Amino acid sequence: MAATSISSATIKHGNEATTIPPHKKCSNASSAHLSFSNSSISLQKLSISANLNNSNSRSSAICSVLKTVEASELVSKARDLDPVSKSTKPTILVSEKLGEAGLDLLRSFGNVECLYNLSQEELCAKIAECDALIVRSGTKVTRQVFEAAKGRLKVVGRAGVGIDNVDLQAATELGCLVVNAPTANTIAAAEHGIALLAGMARNVAQADASMKAGKWQRNKYVGVSLVGKTLAVMGFGKVGSEVARRAKGLGMHVIAHDPYAPADRARAIGVDLVSFDQAISTADFVSLHMPLTPTTNKIFNDDNFAKMKKGVRLINVARGGVIDEDALVRALDNGTVAQAALDVFTEEPPSKDSKLVQHENVTVTPHLGASTKEAQEGVAVEIAEAVVGALRGELSATAVNAPMVPPEVLSELAPYVALAEKLGRLAVQLVAGGSGIQSVKVVYSSSRDPDNLDTRLLRAMITKGIIEPISDAHINLVNADFTAKQKGLRISEERVMVDSSPENPIESIQVQISNVGSKFASALLDNGHISIEGKVKYGIPHLTRVGSFSVDVSLEGNLILCRQVDQPGMIGQVGNILGETNVNVSFMSVGRTVKRTKAIMAIGVDEEPDKDTLKKIGEVSAIDEFVFLDL
Ligand SMILES: NC(=O)C1=CN([C@@H]2O[C@H](COP(=O)(O)OP(=O)(O)OC[C@H]3O[C@@H](n4cnc5c(N)ncnc54)[C@H](O)[C@@H]3O)[C@@H](O)[C@H]2O)C=CC1
Ligand SMILES: O=C(O)C(=O)COP(=O)(O)O
């Protein structure tokens, strides 16, 4: 039999726990049982958690608390982004020009390959060798690209704001994080908008071209003034509000339309928020700053041009797709729109014979909004930091398709993330074969106000724990909800207020699987649901309840659950069987409902027992049922 020793044991009376000092060590599992059953405290009144074979369990537990609160470790677990180990550098493909400062940062972390102007086929061929891809607006990251990555691509970084060139749905489904750099080019885009506004009003581009053609046409290029004119800013976000601020400085009257913008932000700049129709029908100048979405696609169309003031002037530094370009040509031809200044186009670059680009009342620039030296350096650093963070397993503050969890919440939830995943894994293994899981209920007991408890991370980890053992899906924080939905799994959450230390965000987590059979009938509650519950103790996840039986076992290694007659000698018998094949017992806990009736024994084992060993456990006459669980 393998020699095992108890280094510490926790004896629980109700809610109180006493640690047995090391001098009460036992030499093996059976003597562990004897030493407890012979002690003055009756074993039958106790739930025992004995940490076998670990001489420093308490201090290692505390170290582990400190270790687990490191946010990066948490998130790499939570998102399972497989952070690349220090010895293997990740490959980062940069498919469009990026500022040097960002490239330097990327090079200090991974192997950076700059390959520009790749065709879709070339990108698809290359992507399976890459851990990260960094793009600007010129690379279409389609579903085909995500599929071609074959699971290796962990993050797509968009060095800029607009992510309409990235198939977010495909990224989410395939568990690839998308991050952007939302702030560094705001001023550049706003300044370009103002440049186009002023340049268009005074025909700067046309006059320049005419002079270069040897002409001197002072009468032809008489412009219009800006002061006192009404500017409608369509999309009052970062760029829109900076444009508004600048236009106010030019003496313009500024109104804005944005269904989601807070009125107080507009008021603070002296801008009135108005309806779409009011904005376009009263403005002399209309400047577009909304994202391209299914709602905004071609929103400036024949109908809406018809509502505009005759002779309106249009500026677009947002996205070409928000304008129906054929309709704009018609509006320019019939004089509804006097002039347009466009930085962005539905197709980039537009065809050489584009009627819009060639129109004499249109001023164009080749998507230069973000192209200042300052913005490009800023964007490059912003995206490099986000991508490196993601590859390290950290959650990005600029994640586009995953919940953004603030760092302080991350570090607080760190120990509960591992608990959540293990409870999910454990619960699903208790389901009888052939039972389809449809409904899972998670109950968080906490003293916190529900609004003060962000459980998205935990829900994702429970989902991961439930789905991964029974499918080939690879779940992370990005795709957890999507995959659950796709598999018809409904996960509901409930909060129960308890009186506990407000320092602990969560007292316990209970996972219930409804309407399924169980391989281990004792895990079923009276209502027929499989139910297990866990807590974090000393930073380590513990299983504390199976069905209606209390247990107390650390969720490390593997677990054997047995239901047996509540009588002396059971721990020793099972311990001996395991010891015969050198299976090391790490923890044991016995729990029961009524004295001398039935009890549950939870045994943590470092190794997986072979079939014969499991069979022998099953043959112990006092054992009614047992199950081996892989954690
Ligand atoms: N030309 C260029 O080089 C650049 C273009 N952009 C584009 O400018 C646009 C704005 O960028 P940011 O201000 O940084 O983004 P943002 O997200 O800060 O602002 C966008 C605003 O549009 C609003 N919006 C959404 N749907 C709307 C609708 N149907 N009608 C009116 N408003 C709506 C949102 O509520 C938000 O306030 C984006 O399309 C971005 O891609 C940004 C930077 C450079
Ligand atoms: O940030 C944006 O949305 C932009 O449109 C800038 O595009 P770019 O990075 O210059 O291709």
Side-chain angles (χ1 to χ4, degrees), residues 520 559-565 570-581 583 585 588 601-605 607-629:
F520 189 66
L559 193 65
I560 298 171
L561 290 178
C562 305
R563 187 186 57 187
Q564 79 266 356
V565 178
M570 295 308 300
I571 295 178
Q573 273 190 59
V574 177
N576 276 335
I577 295 171
L578 292 168
E580 276 162 21
T581 46
V583 174
V585 174
M588 268 193 187
M601 182 159 58
I603 308 162
V605 285
E607 293 82 21
E608 182 172 345
D610 59 31
K611 271 192 189 142
D612 288 345
T613 306
L614 290 174
K615 196 162 158 249
K616 277 189 196 163
I617 295 174
E619 284 164 2
V620 174
S621 60
I623 291 181
D624 298 334
E625 59 168 352
F626 80 103
V627 64
F628 172 77
L629 303 165

Side-chain angles (χ1 to χ4, degrees), residues 166-424:
V166 179
D167 186 335
L168 278 187
Q169 183 61 31
T172 305
E173 287 176 23
L174 294 161
C176 182
L177 182 70
V178 180
V179 291
N180 72 348
T183 59
N185 67 22
T186 300
I187 299 299
E191 287 178 349
H192 197 62
I194 294 291
L196 289 179
L197 168 77
M200 170 176 64
R202 303 306 294 270
N203 302 305
V204 172
Q206 290 83 349
D208 175 75
S210 143
M211 265 191 83
K212 287 193 167 107
K215 299 178 188 160
W216 185 256
Q217 298 180 290
R218 282 163 44 91
N219 292 337
K220 182 166 183 193
Y221 295 122
V222 172
V224 290
S225 189
L226 300 178
V227 71
K229 298 282 166 54
T230 297
L231 169 70
V233 171
M234 308 301 286
F236 195 69
K238 294 183 294 295
V239 179
S241 45
E242 290 302 330
V243 165
R245 210 189 289 277
R246 283 159 179 71
K248 294 280 291 181
L250 295 171
M252 299 186 84
H253 171 60
V254 184
I255 56 176
H257 169 71
D258 188 324
Y260 315 107
D264 53 349
R265 179 148 56 87
R267 251 194 317 273
I269 306 181
V271 170
D272 292 329
L273 279 180
V274 298
S275 69
F276 183 89
D277 281 1
Q278 208 179 338
I280 62 168
S281 60
T282 53
D284 303 297
F285 291 82
V286 176
S287 191
L288 312 186
H289 301 289
M290 67 253 284
L292 176 60
T293 64
T295 319
T296 61
N297 189 30
K298 295 194 178 170
I299 195 168
F300 294 92
N301 49 28
D302 285 315
D303 288 348
N304 285 325
F305 284 128
K307 293 177 192 162
M308 292 184 176
K309 235 181 176 180
K310 181 100 177 153
V312 66
R313 289 176 165 80
L314 189 71
I315 302 108
N316 188 8
V317 285
R319 281 294 176 270
V322 302
I323 297 178
D324 176 341
E325 291 177 340
D326 293 336
L328 177 56
V329 171
R330 287 189 284 275
L332 283 158
D333 285 344
N334 68 27
T336 306
V337 175
Q339 286 183 298
L342 310 171
D343 183 47
V344 283
F345 306 88
T346 306
E347 289 274 325
E348 294 189 359
S351 68
K352 286 204 178 74
D353 55 0
S354 156
K355 279 193 184 144
L356 190 59
V357 173
Q358 300 303 331
H359 204 287
E360 61 167 345
N361 295 335
V362 174
T363 306
V364 287
T365 51
H367 202 146
L368 291 180
S371 295
T372 61
K373 282 184 183 156
E374 296 83 353
Q376 279 314 302
E377 286 299 296
V379 160
V381 171
E382 198 178 3
I383 203 62
E385 282 173 349
V387 165
V388 167
L391 288 172
R392 281 200 178 115
E394 296 164 11
L395 262 194
S396 165
T398 63
V400 176
N401 63 343
M404 292 179 221
V405 186
E408 60 281 8
V409 176
L410 285 181
S411 62
E412 189 173 51
L413 289 183
Y416 302 92
V417 165
L419 173 66
E421 182 179 356
K422 296 218 169 180
L423 289 175

